[in-house]
Amino acid sequence: MARVADRSSAKPRRSKPLRAFGVAPTGRHGVGSAPVRLLHTYIVRLHLVPFVLGFSVVTFILVMDVLFDYLDLVVNRGVAPWVVLQLFALSLGYIVALSVPCAVLVAVLMTFGRLSQDNEITAIRASGIHLGTVLLGPLGAALLLTIGLTLFNNHVLPESNHAFANLLIDIGRMRPTVKLQEGVFVTDFPGYNLLVQSVNGRTNEMRGVTIYQLNPGGPPTTILAKRGFLSYTPDGRTAVLELEDGEIHDIPAEEGGPRKYRRLVFKKHVINIAGAGGILERTVRQTRGDREMSAHDLLSERDTLLAEYARATQTRRERFLTMGLPRDALAALQPENAPISFRVAAGIGRLFRQPDPLERVARRVPPLRSEFELWRVERDAYRKRIAGLSVEIHKKFSLPAACVVFVLLGAPLGMKVRRAGPAVAFLSIAFFLFYWLCLIGGEELANRLAAPPWLAMWLPNVVLGIVGLYWTAQVCEIMMPWTARPRLDRGAGAIAAAASPAR
């Protein structure tokens, strides 16, 4: 009785017993549907705190990469803090798209690690509930996150990236010296090249100014000044350079006479560069980058480029045929539409840096080498642009799909780890780093035309998804067709011997 009393007075476990959530066995018929729904809700609720924690930590790590750049705008460049804060908020769009899948992996690893450590996984199995049904709640939540993140990538993220780019240009117009780099030629002003030795972003003051004014049909005019200020007119269309203590070196073009060298010394000299602000404004208002467009806009632009590429290819084919190119060599003009054997051989050749098929055709027909070189430059420009658009399209869907992949990967791994500590952090960083490196490497391969964009963007999901499915099947004791079934004769004999009463 003393032993029973000791057990009853023991300190309760920190996790609630599964019976409190209605998952205790209900006889030989197993568990009803209502208790199982309560179990799903309980497990999904356990993911909330680890998800928020993982999201905050990952976002903070990614933000630290650009935080000092924003602080430099406030401290050294004199940009208003509220403007920098707005710029920082707009830059969070892409960081959120990366943080959510990693936060899912952290939450799943911590939740199932805790369930396994508290022996709740064992209790669920003893209650007659299949572990596959336990994963339905996290998988459903991950699917909702995937849909939400896909909508975010297609509607919110492009607009935030576009607003971010616009605000950067606005900051450059509010504080022009933000765009100036010390010791680097600035060619943004039409008709002028500007070089400064030092820049004070708070006062917009430049020191050691060298300006080359480009004169059509003649040598440039050189303007040197010890100090200078760069500003814009109120309408923002004209840049104003106010120079002090300088010289102007000029060689005037005089018809019918010898050339003369002219040197002018000034105390103050003002240069108005018309159209400098207008160019920036037109670029901001009318154009968008790849990451500033939705999937629909990217598809429309890609279809337009594909049509232009097809017309250019057809024109080149007809031109080369009239110039005597054999028909069997036409496949090298557009290798992506060639037979599969030709494409595989070309892809392997690019990996091993073998000559382009067009180069081999040029060796066969030397008189057309210059034409082939021009077409290769034009063709590669089209293909790389189309590949870049395709990469962005697939990335908008492959990155959200990682939420489901990480649930399949993290749940069985968390059950095996059995600890929600440093091991979880290490595994989360390791798997997400592998995923991120594969994504970056795949994007680079696609941009270099060494791999199809769809394969480059979906390969990390496919690889980790297969590994996650295999581990999930092992933990849930699902027999795969290729898995050898265990022999039950010895195990059955041992169970029968243990169950038989001792004589």
Side-chain angles (χ1 to χ4, degrees), residues 18-57:
L18 289 173
R19 188 178 297 275
F21 294 93
V23 297
T26 58
R28 61 186 180 90
H29 295 290
V31 183
S33 59
V36 172
R37 284 197 297 269
L38 290 176
L39 177 63
H40 291 164
T41 305
Y42 166 63
I43 293 178
V44 171
R45 208 164 58 229
L46 289 178
H47 285 77
L48 294 180
V49 174
F51 176 81
V52 174
L53 179 63
F55 179 81
S56 303
V57 172

Short mmCIF file of all heavy atoms in Angstrom, two decimals, residues 18-57:
data_model
loop_
_atom_site.label_atom_id
_atom_site.label_comp_id
_atom_site.label_asym_id
_atom_site.label_seq_id
_atom_site.Cartn_x
_atom_site.Cartn_y
_atom_site.Cartn_z
N LEU A 18 -3.18 11.85 -22.51
CA LEU A 18 -3.99 11.71 -23.71
C LEU A 18 -5.44 11.42 -23.39
O LEU A 18 -6.34 11.73 -24.17
CB LEU A 18 -3.41 10.59 -24.60
CG LEU A 18 -2.09 10.94 -25.27
CD1 LEU A 18 -1.54 9.71 -25.96
CD2 LEU A 18 -2.26 12.07 -26.24
N ARG A 19 -5.72 10.80 -22.20
CA ARG A 19 -7.10 10.50 -21.86
C ARG A 19 -7.91 11.79 -21.72
O ARG A 19 -9.11 11.83 -21.97
CB ARG A 19 -7.14 9.69 -20.55
CG ARG A 19 -8.52 9.15 -20.20
CD ARG A 19 -8.45 8.33 -18.92
NE ARG A 19 -7.60 7.17 -19.10
CZ ARG A 19 -7.99 6.01 -19.62
NH1 ARG A 19 -9.24 5.87 -20.02
NH2 ARG A 19 -7.17 5.00 -19.73
N ALA A 20 -7.23 12.88 -21.30
CA ALA A 20 -7.93 14.15 -21.15
C ALA A 20 -8.41 14.70 -22.49
O ALA A 20 -9.31 15.52 -22.55
CB ALA A 20 -7.03 15.18 -20.48
N PHE A 21 -7.78 14.26 -23.58
CA PHE A 21 -8.17 14.72 -24.91
C PHE A 21 -9.04 13.69 -25.62
O PHE A 21 -9.26 13.79 -26.81
CB PHE A 21 -6.92 15.02 -25.74
CG PHE A 21 -6.15 16.16 -25.20
CD1 PHE A 21 -5.11 15.96 -24.31
CD2 PHE A 21 -6.49 17.46 -25.55
CE1 PHE A 21 -4.41 17.03 -23.81
CE2 PHE A 21 -5.78 18.53 -25.05
CZ PHE A 21 -4.74 18.31 -24.17
N GLY A 22 -9.52 12.67 -24.87
CA GLY A 22 -10.47 11.75 -25.46
C GLY A 22 -9.88 10.75 -26.39
O GLY A 22 -10.54 10.32 -27.32
N VAL A 23 -8.63 10.33 -26.21
CA VAL A 23 -8.02 9.38 -27.12
C VAL A 23 -7.76 8.05 -26.43
O VAL A 23 -6.99 7.25 -26.91
CB VAL A 23 -6.69 9.95 -27.67
CG1 VAL A 23 -6.97 11.18 -28.47
CG2 VAL A 23 -5.71 10.24 -26.55
N ALA A 24 -8.38 7.85 -25.29
CA ALA A 24 -8.23 6.55 -24.64
C ALA A 24 -8.99 5.50 -25.41
O ALA A 24 -9.97 5.80 -26.09
CB ALA A 24 -8.73 6.64 -23.20
N PRO A 25 -8.60 4.22 -25.33
CA PRO A 25 -9.29 3.18 -26.08
C PRO A 25 -10.73 3.05 -25.65
O PRO A 25 -11.07 3.20 -24.47
CB PRO A 25 -8.48 1.93 -25.74
CG PRO A 25 -7.19 2.42 -25.21
CD PRO A 25 -7.44 3.72 -24.59
N THR A 26 -11.58 2.79 -26.59
CA THR A 26 -13.01 2.58 -26.31
C THR A 26 -13.37 1.14 -26.64
O THR A 26 -14.15 0.86 -27.53
CB THR A 26 -13.86 3.54 -27.13
OG1 THR A 26 -13.58 3.33 -28.51
CG2 THR A 26 -13.55 4.98 -26.77
N GLY A 27 -12.70 0.26 -25.95
CA GLY A 27 -12.99 -1.15 -26.17
C GLY A 27 -12.27 -1.69 -27.37
O GLY A 27 -11.34 -1.11 -27.88
N ARG A 28 -12.73 -2.81 -27.84
CA ARG A 28 -12.01 -3.46 -28.93
C ARG A 28 -12.31 -2.82 -30.28
O ARG A 28 -11.72 -3.18 -31.27
CB ARG A 28 -12.41 -4.94 -28.98
CG ARG A 28 -13.89 -5.16 -29.22
CD ARG A 28 -14.23 -6.64 -29.10
NE ARG A 28 -15.63 -6.93 -29.32
CZ ARG A 28 -16.16 -7.21 -30.51
NH1 ARG A 28 -15.38 -7.21 -31.56
NH2 ARG A 28 -17.43 -7.45 -30.64
N HIS A 29 -13.22 -1.87 -30.32
CA HIS A 29 -13.52 -1.22 -31.60
C HIS A 29 -12.64 -0.01 -31.85
O HIS A 29 -12.81 0.67 -32.84
CB HIS A 29 -14.99 -0.79 -31.63
CG HIS A 29 -15.93 -1.96 -31.59
ND1 HIS A 29 -16.08 -2.84 -32.63
CD2 HIS A 29 -16.75 -2.39 -30.58
CE1 HIS A 29 -16.97 -3.79 -32.30
NE2 HIS A 29 -17.38 -3.52 -31.05
N GLY A 30 -11.68 0.30 -30.95
CA GLY A 30 -10.76 1.41 -31.18
C GLY A 30 -11.32 2.73 -30.72
O GLY A 30 -12.08 2.82 -29.77
N VAL A 31 -10.97 3.78 -31.43
CA VAL A 31 -11.29 5.14 -31.02
C VAL A 31 -12.31 5.72 -31.97
O VAL A 31 -12.26 5.51 -33.18
CB VAL A 31 -10.01 6.00 -31.01
CG1 VAL A 31 -10.30 7.39 -30.52
CG2 VAL A 31 -8.97 5.34 -30.13
N GLY A 32 -13.24 6.49 -31.43
CA GLY A 32 -14.26 7.12 -32.25
C GLY A 32 -13.72 8.29 -33.02
O GLY A 32 -12.60 8.76 -32.82
N SER A 33 -14.51 8.85 -33.93
CA SER A 33 -14.06 9.95 -34.79
C SER A 33 -13.93 11.25 -34.02
O SER A 33 -13.03 12.05 -34.28
CB SER A 33 -15.03 10.14 -35.96
OG SER A 33 -16.34 10.41 -35.47
N ALA A 34 -14.84 11.49 -33.05
CA ALA A 34 -14.76 12.73 -32.28
C ALA A 34 -13.48 12.83 -31.46
O ALA A 34 -12.80 13.86 -31.48
CB ALA A 34 -16.00 12.87 -31.39
N PRO A 35 -13.08 11.79 -30.71
CA PRO A 35 -11.80 11.88 -30.00
C PRO A 35 -10.61 12.08 -30.92
O PRO A 35 -9.66 12.77 -30.58
CB PRO A 35 -11.72 10.54 -29.25
CG PRO A 35 -13.13 10.11 -29.09
CD PRO A 35 -13.81 10.58 -30.33
N VAL A 36 -10.64 11.46 -32.10
CA VAL A 36 -9.53 11.63 -33.04
C VAL A 36 -9.46 13.08 -33.51
O VAL A 36 -8.38 13.65 -33.67
CB VAL A 36 -9.68 10.67 -34.23
CG1 VAL A 36 -8.65 10.96 -35.30
CG2 VAL A 36 -9.54 9.24 -33.76
N ARG A 37 -10.61 13.72 -33.72
CA ARG A 37 -10.60 15.13 -34.10
C ARG A 37 -10.00 15.99 -32.99
O ARG A 37 -9.28 16.95 -33.24
CB ARG A 37 -12.01 15.59 -34.44
CG ARG A 37 -12.53 15.13 -35.80
CD ARG A 37 -13.72 15.94 -36.25
NE ARG A 37 -14.84 15.79 -35.33
CZ ARG A 37 -15.79 14.87 -35.44
NH1 ARG A 37 -15.73 13.99 -36.43
NH2 ARG A 37 -16.77 14.81 -34.58
N LEU A 38 -10.33 15.62 -31.73
CA LEU A 38 -9.73 16.35 -30.61
C LEU A 38 -8.21 16.17 -30.59
O LEU A 38 -7.46 17.11 -30.28
CB LEU A 38 -10.33 15.86 -29.29
CG LEU A 38 -11.80 16.24 -29.04
CD1 LEU A 38 -12.28 15.60 -27.75
CD2 LEU A 38 -11.97 17.74 -28.97
N LEU A 39 -7.75 14.98 -30.92
CA LEU A 39 -6.32 14.73 -30.97
C LEU A 39 -5.65 15.56 -32.06
O LEU A 39 -4.58 16.13 -31.85
CB LEU A 39 -6.06 13.24 -31.20
CG LEU A 39 -4.59 12.83 -31.35
CD1 LEU A 39 -3.82 13.13 -30.07
CD2 LEU A 39 -4.49 11.35 -31.71
N HIS A 40 -6.29 15.66 -33.23
CA HIS A 40 -5.74 16.49 -34.31
C HIS A 40 -5.63 17.95 -33.87
O HIS A 40 -4.62 18.61 -34.11
CB HIS A 40 -6.63 16.38 -35.55
CG HIS A 40 -6.57 15.04 -36.20
ND1 HIS A 40 -7.50 14.62 -37.13
CD2 HIS A 40 -5.69 14.01 -36.06
CE1 HIS A 40 -7.20 13.40 -37.54
NE2 HIS A 40 -6.11 13.01 -36.90
N THR A 41 -6.69 18.45 -33.21
CA THR A 41 -6.67 19.84 -32.74
C THR A 41 -5.56 20.04 -31.71
O THR A 41 -4.85 21.06 -31.72
CB THR A 41 -8.02 20.20 -32.13
OG1 THR A 41 -9.05 19.95 -33.09
CG2 THR A 41 -8.07 21.67 -31.73
N TYR A 42 -5.39 19.07 -30.81
CA TYR A 42 -4.36 19.16 -29.77
C TYR A 42 -2.96 19.22 -30.39
O TYR A 42 -2.14 20.05 -30.01
CB TYR A 42 -4.51 17.96 -28.84
CG TYR A 42 -3.33 17.72 -27.93
CD1 TYR A 42 -2.96 18.65 -26.97
CD2 TYR A 42 -2.59 16.53 -28.02
CE1 TYR A 42 -1.88 18.42 -26.13
CE2 TYR A 42 -1.52 16.30 -27.18
CZ TYR A 42 -1.17 17.25 -26.24
OH TYR A 42 -0.11 17.02 -25.40
N ILE A 43 -2.70 18.37 -31.37
CA ILE A 43 -1.37 18.34 -31.98
C ILE A 43 -1.10 19.59 -32.79
O ILE A 43 0.00 20.15 -32.75
CB ILE A 43 -1.22 17.06 -32.84
CG1 ILE A 43 -1.23 15.82 -31.93
CG2 ILE A 43 0.05 17.10 -33.66
CD1 ILE A 43 -1.13 14.52 -32.67
N VAL A 44 -2.11 20.06 -33.53
CA VAL A 44 -1.92 21.30 -34.29
C VAL A 44 -1.67 22.47 -33.36
O VAL A 44 -0.84 23.35 -33.62
CB VAL A 44 -3.13 21.56 -35.21
CG1 VAL A 44 -3.05 22.94 -35.84
CG2 VAL A 44 -3.22 20.50 -36.30
N ARG A 45 -2.38 22.49 -32.21
CA ARG A 45 -2.20 23.57 -31.26
C ARG A 45 -0.79 23.56 -30.66
O ARG A 45 -0.23 24.62 -30.32
CB ARG A 45 -3.25 23.45 -30.16
CG ARG A 45 -3.61 24.78 -29.53
CD ARG A 45 -4.87 24.72 -28.74
NE ARG A 45 -4.79 23.70 -27.70
CZ ARG A 45 -5.72 22.77 -27.49
NH1 ARG A 45 -6.77 22.71 -28.28
NH2 ARG A 45 -5.60 21.89 -26.52
N LEU A 46 -0.20 22.38 -30.53
CA LEU A 46 1.17 22.30 -30.01
C LEU A 46 2.18 22.93 -30.96
O LEU A 46 3.28 23.29 -30.54
CB LEU A 46 1.55 20.84 -29.76
CG LEU A 46 0.89 20.13 -28.58
CD1 LEU A 46 1.36 18.68 -28.51
CD2 LEU A 46 1.20 20.85 -27.27
N HIS A 47 1.83 23.05 -32.23
CA HIS A 47 2.76 23.62 -33.21
C HIS A 47 2.81 25.15 -33.17
O HIS A 47 3.75 25.73 -33.72
CB HIS A 47 2.34 23.21 -34.64
CG HIS A 47 2.67 21.79 -34.98
ND1 HIS A 47 1.93 20.73 -34.52
CD2 HIS A 47 3.66 21.25 -35.74
CE1 HIS A 47 2.43 19.60 -34.98
NE2 HIS A 47 3.49 19.90 -35.73
N LEU A 48 1.84 25.80 -32.55
CA LEU A 48 1.73 27.26 -32.67
C LEU A 48 2.93 27.98 -32.06
O LEU A 48 3.55 28.83 -32.72
CB LEU A 48 0.43 27.73 -32.02
CG LEU A 48 -0.85 27.26 -32.71
CD1 LEU A 48 -2.08 27.79 -31.97
CD2 LEU A 48 -0.88 27.70 -34.16
N VAL A 49 3.25 27.68 -30.80
CA VAL A 49 4.35 28.38 -30.14
C VAL A 49 5.69 28.09 -30.83
O VAL A 49 6.46 29.02 -31.11
CB VAL A 49 4.39 28.02 -28.64
CG1 VAL A 49 5.62 28.64 -27.98
CG2 VAL A 49 3.12 28.51 -27.95
N PRO A 50 6.05 26.81 -31.14
CA PRO A 50 7.31 26.59 -31.87
C PRO A 50 7.34 27.27 -33.24
O PRO A 50 8.39 27.73 -33.68
CB PRO A 50 7.38 25.06 -31.99
CG PRO A 50 6.53 24.55 -30.90
CD PRO A 50 5.42 25.54 -30.74
N PHE A 51 6.17 27.35 -33.90
CA PHE A 51 6.14 28.01 -35.21
C PHE A 51 6.45 29.50 -35.08
O PHE A 51 7.26 30.05 -35.85
CB PHE A 51 4.77 27.81 -35.86
CG PHE A 51 4.61 28.53 -37.18
CD1 PHE A 51 5.12 27.96 -38.34
CD2 PHE A 51 3.98 29.75 -37.26
CE1 PHE A 51 4.99 28.61 -39.56
CE2 PHE A 51 3.85 30.41 -38.47
CZ PHE A 51 4.35 29.84 -39.61
N VAL A 52 5.82 30.16 -34.12
CA VAL A 52 6.09 31.60 -33.92
C VAL A 52 7.54 31.81 -33.51
O VAL A 52 8.21 32.75 -33.98
CB VAL A 52 5.12 32.17 -32.87
CG1 VAL A 52 5.48 33.61 -32.54
CG2 VAL A 52 3.68 32.07 -33.37
N LEU A 53 8.05 30.94 -32.64
CA LEU A 53 9.44 31.07 -32.20
C LEU A 53 10.40 30.88 -33.37
O LEU A 53 11.33 31.67 -33.57
CB LEU A 53 9.73 30.05 -31.10
CG LEU A 53 11.16 30.03 -30.55
CD1 LEU A 53 11.49 31.35 -29.89
CD2 LEU A 53 11.33 28.87 -29.56
N GLY A 54 10.19 29.83 -34.14
CA GLY A 54 11.07 29.58 -35.29
C GLY A 54 10.97 30.68 -36.33
O GLY A 54 11.99 31.10 -36.91
N PHE A 55 9.76 31.18 -36.58
CA PHE A 55 9.59 32.27 -37.55
C PHE A 55 10.33 33.52 -37.10
O PHE A 55 10.99 34.19 -37.90
CB PHE A 55 8.09 32.56 -37.72
CG PHE A 55 7.79 33.67 -38.67
CD1 PHE A 55 7.79 33.45 -40.04
CD2 PHE A 55 7.52 34.95 -38.20
CE1 PHE A 55 7.51 34.47 -40.93
CE2 PHE A 55 7.25 35.98 -39.09
CZ PHE A 55 7.24 35.75 -40.44
N SER A 56 10.25 33.83 -35.81
CA SER A 56 10.92 35.03 -35.29
C SER A 56 12.43 34.90 -35.39
O SER A 56 13.12 35.84 -35.80
CB SER A 56 10.50 35.27 -33.84
OG SER A 56 9.09 35.39 -33.73
N VAL A 57 12.96 33.73 -35.02
CA VAL A 57 14.42 33.55 -35.03
C VAL A 57 14.96 33.60 -36.47
O VAL A 57 15.96 34.27 -36.75
CB VAL A 57 14.79 32.23 -34.34
CG1 VAL A 57 16.27 31.94 -34.52
CG2 VAL A 57 14.46 32.29 -32.86
#
